[in-house]
């Protein structure tokens, strides 16, 4: 499936490169193309769109979704630069809006580790759509943009997502210590937030996201 995704992305970019009327390509990628690295715990400065997931790390831990997204995006960037295509990528967190979201979603492989390392991010559909429109319409947009409007950093948030994914599974007994525990976020979407200031729909963010 990795080869299929890479080939599909390559074909689309090649078609765009051959179409003179296309001004800008907005490529939808994933946050998993950013955060899957063996140095994640030691990344003091935090993650942003300048980071790339490590392909060897993805293969070692069978993170096939991250491997596919990383290879597809890297291939697309290489082709865009070679063909002179004006491309911008949106590296989105876990999309939480669809009613059919389930535990089988490939993004969730490694979710427990993402959560503990402060990089488990989600995005709702409205915000993701607004981000795509803003990035497309703003002439100053460039490069990659991490796109999310929630970081899962508290136990209660994690349990809420778990209950949505497995609604019939029994919930563990509440624990005060767990409820009070907060995993420090180590990921930033500051570049996107700055671009979306004043955007008509207005970004709907957690109050302290940076």
């Amino acid at each position: 499936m990795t080869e299929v995704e890479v080939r599909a992305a390559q074909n689309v970019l090649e078609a765009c490169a051959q179409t003179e009327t296309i001004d800008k390509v907005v490529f939808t990628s994933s946050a998993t193309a950013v955060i899957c690295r063996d140095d994640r715990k030691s990344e003091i400065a935090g993650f942003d769109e300048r980071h790339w997931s490590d392909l060897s790390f993805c293969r070692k831990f069978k993170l096939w979704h991250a491997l596919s997204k990383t290879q597809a995006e890297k291939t697309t960037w290489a082709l865009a630069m070679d063909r002179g295509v004006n491309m911008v990528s949106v590296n989105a967190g876990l999309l939480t809006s669809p009613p059919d979201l389930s535990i089988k979603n490939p993004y969730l492989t490694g979710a427990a580790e993402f959560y503990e390392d402060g990089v488990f991010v989600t995005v709702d559909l409205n915000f993701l759509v607004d981000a795509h429109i803003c990035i497309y319409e703003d002439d100053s947009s460039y490069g990659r943009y991490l796109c999310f409007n929630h970081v899962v950093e508290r136990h209660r948030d994690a349990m809420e997502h778990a209950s949505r994914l497995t609604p019939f599974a029994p919930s563990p007994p509440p624990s005060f210590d767990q409820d009070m525990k907060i995993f420090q976020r180590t990921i930033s979407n500051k570049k996107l937030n700055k671009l979306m200031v004043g955007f008509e729909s207005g970004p709907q963010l957690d109050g302290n996201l940076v």
Side-chain angles (χ1 to χ4, degrees):
M1 290 308 297
T2 297
E3 292 178 4
V4 170
E5 183 155 356
V6 170
R7 195 159 55 245
Q10 192 171 13
N11 289 342
V12 170
L13 242 292
E14 188 64 59
C16 292
Q18 296 176 19
T19 307
E20 295 181 359
T21 55
I22 289 181
D23 239 7
K24 180 189 293 184
V25 174
V26 181
F27 180 80
T28 306
S29 185
S30 171
T32 58
V34 174
I35 61 178
C36 297
R37 303 159 54 97
D38 57 2
D39 63 349
R40 190 168 61 222
K41 292 182 183 295
S42 62
E43 189 59 49
I44 300 174
F47 284 93
D48 60 23
E49 48 281 317
R50 293 172 293 182
H51 292 82
W52 284 92
S53 290
D54 182 85
L55 298 178
S56 298
F57 179 87
C58 294
R59 291 190 184 96
K60 179 179 178 181
F61 292 99
K62 297 180 170 51
L63 301 172
W64 307 128
H65 178 268
L67 181 69
S68 297
K69 294 300 182 183
T70 305
Q71 284 193 330
E73 189 184 348
K74 284 193 169 187
T75 299
T76 307
W77 273 115
L79 186 58
M81 288 187 282
D82 182 64
R83 299 289 193 273
V85 174
N86 178 18
M87 189 181 101
V88 184
S89 70
V90 179
N91 293 78
L94 175 67
L95 183 62
T96 57
S97 298
D100 58 347
L101 179 66
S102 75
I103 195 67
K104 296 179 181 179
N105 189 309
Y107 186 107
L108 292 168
T109 304
E113 290 77 14
F114 297 160
Y115 165 53
E116 292 178 1
D117 294 341
V119 295
F120 186 23
V121 293
T122 66
V123 61
D124 65 61
L125 184 59
N126 289 336
F127 184 72
L128 183 61
V129 170
D130 284 349
H132 276 75
I133 294 171
C134 179
I135 288 169
Y136 176 75
E137 292 182 345
D138 196 316
D139 293 336
S140 68
S141 65
Y142 68 96
R144 306 169 84 205
Y145 288 87
L146 262 170
C147 180
F148 58 89
N149 59 345
H150 184 64
V151 181
V152 180
E153 56 186 350
R154 297 176 182 270
H155 178 72
R156 69 169 75 95
D157 293 337
M159 293 308 302
E160 181 182 335
H161 282 288
S163 65
R164 291 180 61 191
L165 294 166
T166 54
F168 301 109
S171 299
S175 164
F176 180 79
D177 290 341
Q178 283 184 319
D179 284 343
M180 293 298 102
K181 190 172 185 179
I182 300 176
F183 290 102
Q184 182 179 358
R185 66 184 66 184
T186 57
I187 190 167
S188 170
N189 60 350
K190 182 185 291 185
K191 182 182 176 185
L192 178 62
N193 289 351
K194 185 176 179 181
L195 186 74
M196 292 186 70
V197 170
F199 180 66
E200 280 187 9
S201 290
Q204 317 214 330
L205 303 166
D206 284 1
N208 57 349
L209 279 185
V210 294

